[in-house]
């Protein structure tokens, strides 16, 4: 294994690394990064070597405290030093210019990724979660979900970015660099994944108390699986199957849940919190903070402030029976 | 009209011993408790400034340790998110506004008069005012933190998060007003330094002979004057949005969230050069002294400082690449950001060339210079990486950036500062710092620093954003964070060793003579510690390295009054003697004005009436400050420039 691979392998322990790329854009940025990395490393090594040599050479000719100036300046020699420094500066300028060109070329190729008629997602940042809407000319075919987006492998996807409160920043390192979600300034970002998988990201602009727990998951599926997922998401919520689940639905609709959350196909139509129509199909809870298991869901419902202090969701004091019923209902929302 | 010779007591009338006694009487700071507040002399005021700034550095460091403890392990619960957010905000604000900028200016306020050969700063009372304003601002921030109303929106306090809707309460107001205090103090210091450098230089110190440290202070002061108004404007807009319901930054009412970022970074990027340029000035002085030769490329270095200052204002947008810019705008700011590597490169090459061709005196300050070059070059190169928009889009707002700016700020400013304090400690106290402790200090600092901050580069590339109070275990960031936390504690040991060294050496260090390092600049021509009046006779200068080229009969300025606070004013370009000028003496009014201003600004956190109250109080204290103090002393006589002559 050569040094390059060895260095790269160091990064593979990380779940959301900018250097372990899964899409063409992140890949181009990583290539540019490695160019900068190696050139800068060489420069650094040379400068430090010169410094160490200068210190070593100067120390061999060291002087005592009491002495004044100890070097007689020779104008020819000084002029030589000046010429060498000038040469180094010219070299620096050439390297910087090469960097600039490489940056420009990468910038252009990043901007060239577009397509028409592909998937367009409207992503809106809230404190501290993401609302995703898959746009469609037919309003009834629009899909609303939260904190987990699915994209088809190998196809450019347009993400329109909005914020409902403060500035957030979308960052899924394995796919692309950041783009801010700024209130009053709609933004857009094209992304593409080249291989199927789960790519984690999180908000990169400080947005308050739970900035650390504003995560987003991107799941790249082969196109047919993606289409199947999208079709499934278009269906309104499944009716509760058994009595427990029916009771759970009642808890949801008559308690405080429905004030903020929506479940398509029921009366719950709250718009200030994640849409829960297909919550059971998602991998995580609380914007990527917890795995989506019944235990975690129960803990989250009862005491969200323990998991995400400062989050908008209040604690819920439900009887054990009601809680179990609610869990049974939510578990059915595939 | 009296003739020149018959007015007052002149240095020509006295023997050296008598002159010393006479000058001591006039220049000695007032004593007693009230006297402490009336002091207007640059060395005691700057010493307080340095002490206070180092105190804030230590406090900010404690916050950093707490944060490192919290991040040592995933999902740690040592600190609540609310407290963590206050800590990183106060840490950043303290280090930038209460430590880095003030400490560099304080070193300047101390040594610029000594290096240019004069007796005090140009506006002594203004200097005292600036100090008290700074202290009030610093205390405000820290009292707020202890009262749990510490600001919590980060040192750049982006709107709308810091606006009235998302940050109710008084936390952000405290931050905004602290900015007002410290920036005012900074502006005051900048004016002091510019006028002192331009008008109070010793005869012969033409512009092309000014020590590089003084050039660095001068250039920085001009940057302060252009940069600080932008942030004072921004913080005033923010305070008004919060206090009187204006909508400068509210998109719903036609305001703009990005306006804040432009205003803030138009200040914020020059700010890092405001910290870094004086540090390079220290490095240039140290390199020259410890290489035992005039520095290579004096002119190139000075022009680099000026180029850095100008370019520094043209690249603020590289903090905003992720906001989505037009391609052409990106290219411009990328090019500008990369361009600034050239003046920095010139300086580094000149320093290395000087060391290379010098005969070294290897002492602690030189070790700090070497450490500085190592760390700063690394930080500079990661800066070049971030100038590239695509790379920046990945590393922006991650720990990679945290690593980068600690490399350029600790490596680029704190290493030279500590080196400079080792260097100037004898001049300030009369005693040498321990060399052996100094070396221990350096190596612990160097190792601890790299252990703390190098892993952060990797963390950033691995996806760890800044300003997160915790992270999930599956991210894989745990081990590197743990290493970094250990490094932070090593680093703090180095700071303790430094303080210990300073404390022990102050009491028992070897006595330093006038010029223990064999240095070349005028500050080393006076006894250590420097007397209250600095120079017995105003010296003259015949080269860039005056003490190294001094003639046996180097003339001094004679005929200066010894019984009043008189300084020699020289012409801007060639420093030829122009006239004599009477400086203001001790006064309580600068302190009272600072208090009046403080009352106004702090009251304005709670009610808009604070502005009115403050204005009335300031009017009263300023009237006291500027109240005519009787008859001016023989103005016409003081018009004339005194002659140059021999020492008595």
């Amino acid at each position: 294994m050569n040094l390059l691979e060895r260095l790269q392998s160091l990064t593979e322990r990380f779940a959301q690394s900018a250097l372990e790329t899964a899409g063409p854009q992140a890949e181009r940025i990583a290539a540019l990064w490695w160019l900068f990395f190696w050139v800068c490393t060489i420069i650094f090594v040379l400068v430090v070597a010169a410094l160490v040599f200068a210190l070593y050479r100067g120390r061999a000719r060291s002087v005592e405290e009491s002495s004044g100036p100890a070097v007689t300046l020779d104008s020819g020699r000084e002029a030589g030093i000046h010429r060498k420094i000038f040469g180094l500066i010219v070299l620096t300028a050439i390297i910087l210019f090469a960097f600039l060109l490489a940056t420009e070329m990468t910038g252009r190729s990043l901007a060239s990724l577009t397509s028409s008629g592909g998937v367009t997602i409207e992503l809106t940042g809230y404190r501290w979660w993401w609302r995703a809407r898959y746009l469609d000319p037919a309003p009834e075919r629009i899909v609303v979900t939260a904190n987990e987006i699915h994209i088809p492998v190998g196809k450019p996807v347009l993400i329109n970015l909005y914020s409902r409160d403060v500035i957030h920043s979308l960052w899924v390192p394995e796919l692309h660099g950041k783009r801010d979600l700024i209130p009053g300034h709609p933004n857009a970002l094209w992304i593409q994944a080249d291989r199927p998988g789960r790519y984690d990201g999180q908000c990169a602009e400080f947005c308050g108390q739970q900035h650390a727990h504003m995560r987003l998951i991107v799941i790249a599926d082969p196109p047919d699986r993606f289409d199947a997922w999208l079709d499934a998401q278009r269906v309104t919520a499944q009716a509760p199957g058994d009595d427990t689940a029916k009771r759970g639905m009642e808890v949801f609709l008559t308690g405080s849940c429905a004030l903020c959350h929506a479940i398509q196909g029921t009366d719950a139509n709250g718009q200030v919190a994640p849409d829960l129509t297909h919550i059971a199909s998602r991998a995580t809870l609380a914007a990527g903070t917890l795995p989506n298991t019944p235990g975690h869901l129960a803990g989250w419902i009862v005491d969200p402030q323990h998991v995400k202090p400062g989050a908008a969701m209040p604690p819920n004091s439900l009887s054990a029976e009601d809680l179990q019923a609610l869990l049974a209902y939510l578990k059915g929302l595939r | 009209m009296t003739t020149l010779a018959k007015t007052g007591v002149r240095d020509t009338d006295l023997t050296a011993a008598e002159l010393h006694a006479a000058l001591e009487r006039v220049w000695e700071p007032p004593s007693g408790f009230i006297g402490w507040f009336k002091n207007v002399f640059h060395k005691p005021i700057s010493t307080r400034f340095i002490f206070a700034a180092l105190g804030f550095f230590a406090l900010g460091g404690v916050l950093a340790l707490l944060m490192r403890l919290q991040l040592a392990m995933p999902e740690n619960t040592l600190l609540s998110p609310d407290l963590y957010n206050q800590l990183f905000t106060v840490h950043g604000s303290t280090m930038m506004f209460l430590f880095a900028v003030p400490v560099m200016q304080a070193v300047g306020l101390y040594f610029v008069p000594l290096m240019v050969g004069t007796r005090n700063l140009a506006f002594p009372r203004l200097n005292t005012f600036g100090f008290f304003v700074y202290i009030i601002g610093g205390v405000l921030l820290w009292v707020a933190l202890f009262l749990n109303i510490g600001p919590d929106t980060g040192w750049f306090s982006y709107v709308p998060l810091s606006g009235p809707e998302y940050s109710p309460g008084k936390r952000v107001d405290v931050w905004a007003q602290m900015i007002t205090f410290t920036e005012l103090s900074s502006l005051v210091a900048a004016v002091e330094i510019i006028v002192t450098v331009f008008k109070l230089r010793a005869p012969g110190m033409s512009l092309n002979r000014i020590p590089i440290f003084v050039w660095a202070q001068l250039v920085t002061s001009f940057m302060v004057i252009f940069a600080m108004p932008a942030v004072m404007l921004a913080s005033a807009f923010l305070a008004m949005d919060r206090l009187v319901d204006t909508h400068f930054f509210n998109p719903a009412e036609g305001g703009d969230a990005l306006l804040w970022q432009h205003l803030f970074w138009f200040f914020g990027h020059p700010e890092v050069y405001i910290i870094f340029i004086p540090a390079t000035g220290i490095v240039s002085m140290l390199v020259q002294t410890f290489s035992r030769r005039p520095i290579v490329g004096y002119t190139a270095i000075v022009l680099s400082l000026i180029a850095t200052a100008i370019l520094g204002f043209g690249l603020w947008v590289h903090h905003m690449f992720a906001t989505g810019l037009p391609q052409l705008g990106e290219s411009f700011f990328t090019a500008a950001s990369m361009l600034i590597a050239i003046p920095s490169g010139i300086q580094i090459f000149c320093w290395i060339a000087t060391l290379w061709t010098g005969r070294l005196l290897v002492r602690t300050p030189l070790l700090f210079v070497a450490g500085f070059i190592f760390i700063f070059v690394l930080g500079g190169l990661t800066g070049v990486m971030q100038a590239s928009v695509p790379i920046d889009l990945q590393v922006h707002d991650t720990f990679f950036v945290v690593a980068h700016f600690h490399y350029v700020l600790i490596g680029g400013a704190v290493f030279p500062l500590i080196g400079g304090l080792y260097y100037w400690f004898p001049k300030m106290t009369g005693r040498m710092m321990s060399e052996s402790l100094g070396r221990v200090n350096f190596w612990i600092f160097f190792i601890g620093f790299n252990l703390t901050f190098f892993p952060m580069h990797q963390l950033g590339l691995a996806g760890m954003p800044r300003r997160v109070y915790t992270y999930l275990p599956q991210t894989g960031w745990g081990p590197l964070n743990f290493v970094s936390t250990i490094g932070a504690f090593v680093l703090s040991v180095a700071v303790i060793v430094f303080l210990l060294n300073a404390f022990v050496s102050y009491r028992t260090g070897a006595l330093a003579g006038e010029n223990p390092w064999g240095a070349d600049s005028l500050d080393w021509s006076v006894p250590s510690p420097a007397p209250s009046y600095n120079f017995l006779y105003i010296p003259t200068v015949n080269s860039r390295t005056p003490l190294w080229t001094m003639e046996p009969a180097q003339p001094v300025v004679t005929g200066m009054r010894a019984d009043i606070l008189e300084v020699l004013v020289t012409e801007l370009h060639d420093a030829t003697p122009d006239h004599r000028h009477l400086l203001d003496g001790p006064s309580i009014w600068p302190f009272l004005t600072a208090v009046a201003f403080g009352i106004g600004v702090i009251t304005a956190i709670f009610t808009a009436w604070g502005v009115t109250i403050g204005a009335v109080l300031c009017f009263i204290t300023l009237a006291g400050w500027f109240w005519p103090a009787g008859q001016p002393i023989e103005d016409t006589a003081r018009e004339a420039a005194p002659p140059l002559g021999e020492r008595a």
Side-chain angles (χ1 to χ4, degrees):
Chain A
M1 199 185 332
N2 70 24
L3 187 63
L4 181 78
E5 285 167 42
R6 200 176 280 245
L7 274 167
Q8 280 171 332
S9 76
L10 274 177
T11 66
E12 277 165 25
R13 291 170 285 125
F14 300 109
Q16 51 196 67
S17 166
L19 301 179
E20 197 198 339
T21 60
Q25 290 146 311
E27 202 172 288
R28 281 169 203 155
I29 297 175
L32 186 67
W33 154 261
W34 286 114
L35 170 74
F36 273 65
F37 174 81
W38 284 112
V39 174
C40 289
T41 302
I42 292 166
I43 293 171
F44 178 68
V45 168
L46 291 178
V47 172
V48 170
L51 172 68
V52 169
F53 182 76
L55 291 173
Y56 178 78
R57 186 174 181 273
R59 201 173 66 161
R61 319 188 307 150
S62 68
V63 291
E64 282 312 303
E65 254 104 349
S66 51
S67 76
V71 179
T72 6
L73 299 190
D74 166 57
S75 61
R77 184 154 180 263
E78 294 298 300
I81 297 170
H82 292 163
R83 274 196 300 277
K84 286 188 189 104
I85 291 177
F86 183 75
L88 287 170
I89 293 302
V90 170
L91 185 64
T92 308
I94 292 170
I95 293 170
L96 290 174
F97 192 71
F99 277 173
L100 192 61
L101 276 184
T103 295
E104 202 54 36
M105 283 158 62
T106 308
R108 275 166 198 271
S109 79
L110 291 182
S112 68
L113 183 86
T114 52
S115 78
S116 53
V119 178
T120 302
I121 304 170
E122 182 190 292
L123 194 66
T124 309
Y126 291 76
R127 301 204 301 168
W128 292 274
W129 60 282
W130 315 80
R131 180 196 300 278
R133 291 175 76 225
Y134 285 72
L135 299 187
D136 198 290
E140 72 277 7
R141 288 167 60 83
I142 289 176
V143 164
V144 180
T145 181
N147 303 326
E148 178 178 313
I149 58 176
H150 289 238
I151 58 172
V153 165
K155 291 185 179 168
V157 173
L158 175 63
I159 306 186
N160 291 320
L161 300 165
Y162 306 91
S163 169
R164 201 44 88 74
D165 38 48
V166 302
I167 302 176
H168 303 281
S169 191
L170 171 68
W171 186 34
V172 186
E174 286 153 300
L175 299 179
H176 200 345
K178 293 167 200 72
R179 186 55 53 97
D180 291 349
L181 291 68
I182 307 167
H185 287 268
N187 245 334
L189 188 70
W190 286 91
I191 60 166
Q192 180 180 320
D194 284 341
R195 44 194 173 82
R198 166 180 157 166
Y199 307 110
D200 283 17
Q202 67 187 95
C203 175
E205 184 62 77
F206 180 65
C207 53
Q209 224 176 343
Q210 284 301 329
H211 168 56
H213 287 142
M214 185 170 166
R215 299 174 60 83
L216 176 76
I217 291 163
V218 177
I219 292 175
D221 285 329
D224 50 333
R225 266 191 75 181
F226 170 76
D227 291 338
W229 174 84
L230 199 58
D231 286 339
Q233 296 285 316
R234 284 191 180 119
V235 179
T236 53
Q238 286 178 354
D242 56 21
D243 286 350
T244 325
K246 274 186 188 132
R247 167 80 195 127
M249 183 171 167
E250 217 177 293
V251 171
F252 190 95
L253 293 175
T254 56
S256 54
C257 311
L259 294 176
C260 301
H261 292 281
I263 294 178
Q264 306 302 326
T266 72
D267 291 341
N269 197 26
Q271 292 298 317
V272 298
D275 185 297
L276 301 179
T277 310
H278 298 283
I279 185 176
S281 73
R282 298 183 205 151
T284 66
L285 297 169
T289 311
L290 301 169
N292 190 359
T293 64
H296 281 119
L297 182 56
W300 172 249
I301 292 170
V302 173
D303 190 5
Q305 298 300 318
H306 178 73
V307 182
K308 281 175 86 163
M313 181 156 159
N316 292 286
S317 47
L318 298 170
S319 70
E321 211 173 302
D322 283 354
L323 181 62
Q324 289 309 323
L326 185 58
L327 290 174
Y329 171 59
L330 293 174
K331 202 172 76 182
L333 298 178
R334 304 216 139 265
Chain B
M1 194 169 92
T2 51
T3 63
L4 225 155
K6 284 181 185 165
T7 321
V9 182
R10 294 182 178 277
D11 51 14
T12 42
D13 306 335
L14 306 170
T15 65
E18 287 168 349
L19 180 58
H20 167 74
L23 288 171
E24 280 275 281
R25 269 197 302 280
V26 189
W27 292 89
E28 197 59 30
S31 57
F33 180 73
I34 301 292
W36 195 85
F37 295 95
K38 293 167 75 174
N39 198 333
V40 294
F41 297 101
H42 77 107
K43 292 189 297 296
I45 297 292
S46 313
T47 307
R48 289 179 204 173
F49 240 127
I50 293 172
F51 264 96
L54 290 177
F56 284 121
F57 175 64
L59 286 170
V62 170
L63 301 189
L65 288 180
L66 287 170
M67 291 189 287
R68 282 313 324 163
L69 280 175
Q70 164 69 12
L71 292 178
M73 282 170 293
E75 296 192 317
N76 198 354
T77 53
L78 177 73
L79 304 175
S80 71
D82 182 62
L83 183 57
Y84 186 89
N85 293 346
Q86 289 184 64
L87 295 194
F88 79 64
T89 303
V90 175
H91 168 79
S93 304
T94 297
M95 291 306 198
M96 295 300 276
F97 296 111
L98 301 178
F99 165 64
V101 174
V103 83
M104 289 301 174
Q105 289 190 319
V107 173
L109 294 170
Y110 197 110
F111 285 101
V112 163
L114 282 166
M115 282 191 184
V116 302
T118 188
R119 289 185 169 146
N120 200 354
L121 292 159
F123 306 114
R125 291 185 180 174
L126 192 60
N127 191 33
T128 304
F129 170 74
F131 169 74
F132 283 113
V133 164
Y134 157 75
I135 285 295
I136 295 170
V139 169
L140 168 69
L141 180 69
W142 276 81
V143 166
L145 178 65
F146 283 112
L147 296 178
N148 197 29
I149 48 169
D152 58 354
T153 54
W155 89 276
F156 38 93
S157 239
Y158 275 7
V159 293
L161 180 62
S162 61
E165 195 177 350
Y166 300 102
S167 292
K170 295 298 175 192
R171 289 177 167 184
V172 174
D173 302 281
V174 167
W175 181 85
Q177 301 301 54
M178 182 276 293
I179 298 292
T180 310
F181 281 109
T182 57
E183 304 309 306
L184 179 64
S185 155
S186 198
L187 281 168
V188 161
V191 170
E192 292 282 356
I193 286 171
I194 290 174
V195 178
T196 304
V197 174
F198 275 173
K199 297 308 291 179
L200 299 185
R201 300 201 305 279
M205 189 182 280
S206 48
L207 285 179
N208 59 347
R209 288 179 183 168
I210 296 179
I212 292 179
F213 175 76
V214 176
W215 263 116
Q217 287 285 342
L218 180 67
V219 168
T220 305
S221 299
F222 274 103
M223 291 192 77
V224 166
I225 285 177
F226 284 97
M228 298 300 175
V231 73
M232 287 178 80
L233 183 73
S235 70
F237 281 178
L238 179 61
M240 284 161 75
D241 269 11
R242 298 177 55 85
L243 189 68
V244 294
D245 298 325
T246 53
H247 295 289
F248 290 105
F249 303 122
N250 180 0
E253 295 289 338
D256 195 318
L258 283 180
L259 173 64
W260 170 266
Q261 297 190 21
H262 284 291
L263 286 173
F264 187 85
W265 290 118
F266 186 79
F267 143 83
H269 198 82
E271 167 96 340
V272 303
Y273 294 103
I274 287 169
I275 295 165
F276 169 64
I277 289 178
T280 68
I282 296 176
V283 170
S284 290
M285 299 310 285
L286 266 51
V287 164
Q288 178 157 289
T289 296
F290 292 93
S291 299
R292 284 297 191 270
R293 55 152 295 163
I295 198 157
V296 171
Y298 172 94
T299 312
I301 290 178
V302 171
L303 291 177
S304 298
L305 296 177
I306 296 170
T308 306
I310 293 168
L311 287 174
F313 281 96
L315 31 81
W316 77 95
V317 172
H318 73 207
H319 295 267
M320 301 167 58
F321 283 152
T323 58
L325 293 171
Q327 181 89 28
L328 192 64
E330 286 183 356
S331 305
F332 175 83
F333 286 101
T334 293
S337 307
M338 286 185 176
L339 203 56
I340 207 154
I342 288 181
S344 298
I346 291 174
Q347 293 205 70
I348 287 164
F349 295 141
C350 288
W351 292 324
I352 293 180
T354 310
L355 294 169
W356 189 299
T357 55
R359 298 187 60 180
L360 301 187
L361 174 63
V362 182
R363 294 291 180 272
T364 306
L366 187 63
L367 293 181
F368 276 93
V369 166
F372 154 80
I373 295 178
F374 179 98
I375 294 171
F376 176 69
V377 169
L378 206 162
L381 289 169
T382 55
V384 171
M385 294 171 178
Q386 286 165 68
S388 170
V389 177
I391 294 177
D392 183 73
L393 291 180
Q394 284 287 20
V395 298
H396 176 71
D397 267 335
T398 69
F399 265 69
F400 188 91
V401 176
V402 178
H404 161 73
F405 69 71
H406 283 93
Y407 266 76
V408 289
L409 288 175
I410 296 187
V414 179
F415 269 69
L417 175 72
I418 304 281
L421 290 176
Y422 271 93
Y423 176 67
W424 277 309
F425 190 84
K427 186 54 64 191
M428 300 172 82
T429 66
R431 291 177 187 274
M432 306 295 289
M433 281 179 86
S434 158
E435 180 64 21
S436 45
L437 263 182
R439 292 186 181 219
V440 172
N441 183 182
F442 168 75
W443 284 109
I444 299 177
F445 202 1
F446 185 76
I447 292 165
F449 171 82
N450 284 294
L451 200 58
T452 310
F453 294 105
F454 194 81
M456 291 185 185
H457 292 111
Q458 175 92 46
L459 281 171
L461 291 168
M464 183 166 175
R466 293 170 77 174
R467 305 165 150 201
V468 290
Y469 76 97
T470 191
Y471 50 92
L472 302 180
Q474 65 261 32
T475 54
W477 303 330
L480 286 172
N481 270 301
F482 190 74
V483 171
S484 174
T485 301
I486 291 174
F489 280 87
V490 177
L491 191 54
S492 60
V493 170
V495 175
I496 291 167
V497 171
F498 172 75
L499 296 175
L500 193 73
N501 194 352
F503 181 73
V504 172
S505 304
Y506 180 70
R507 313 189 60 154
T508 63
L511 286 175
E514 277 185 7
N515 191 358
W517 312 111
D520 68 283
S521 51
L522 288 178
D523 43 334
W524 298 102
S525 69
V526 300
S528 306
S532 57
Y533 51 82
N534 288 355
F535 296 90
L536 199 58
Y537 298 95
I538 300 299
T540 64
V541 165
N542 64 2
S543 77
R544 281 172 192 163
T545 52
L547 301 191
W548 287 352
T549 57
M550 203 163 70
E551 302 289 334
Q554 182 77 24
V556 293
V557 177
T558 58
M560 298 286 291
R561 289 277 294 264
D563 55 345
I564 54 172
L565 297 169
E566 195 174 72
V567 290
L568 176 68
V569 176
T570 52
E571 278 168 356
L572 192 152
H573 188 265
D574 288 328
T576 47
D578 188 48
H579 64 278
R580 287 174 289 160
H581 175 70
L582 181 66
L583 291 181
D584 288 327
S587 162
I588 193 70
W589 290 109
F591 168 71
L592 294 179
T593 309
V595 171
F597 179 75
I599 291 172
V601 175
I602 293 172
T603 312
I605 292 175
F606 303 97
T607 159
W609 282 103
V611 178
T612 314
I613 295 166
V616 170
L617 290 176
C618 283
F619 177 79
I620 296 168
T621 52
L622 285 172
W625 186 337
F626 293 113
W627 203 261
Q631 289 294 314
I633 312 167
E634 301 101 19
D635 273 351
T636 45
R638 287 190 296 104
E639 290 288 318
L644 304 185
E646 302 278 315
R647 279 164 206 268

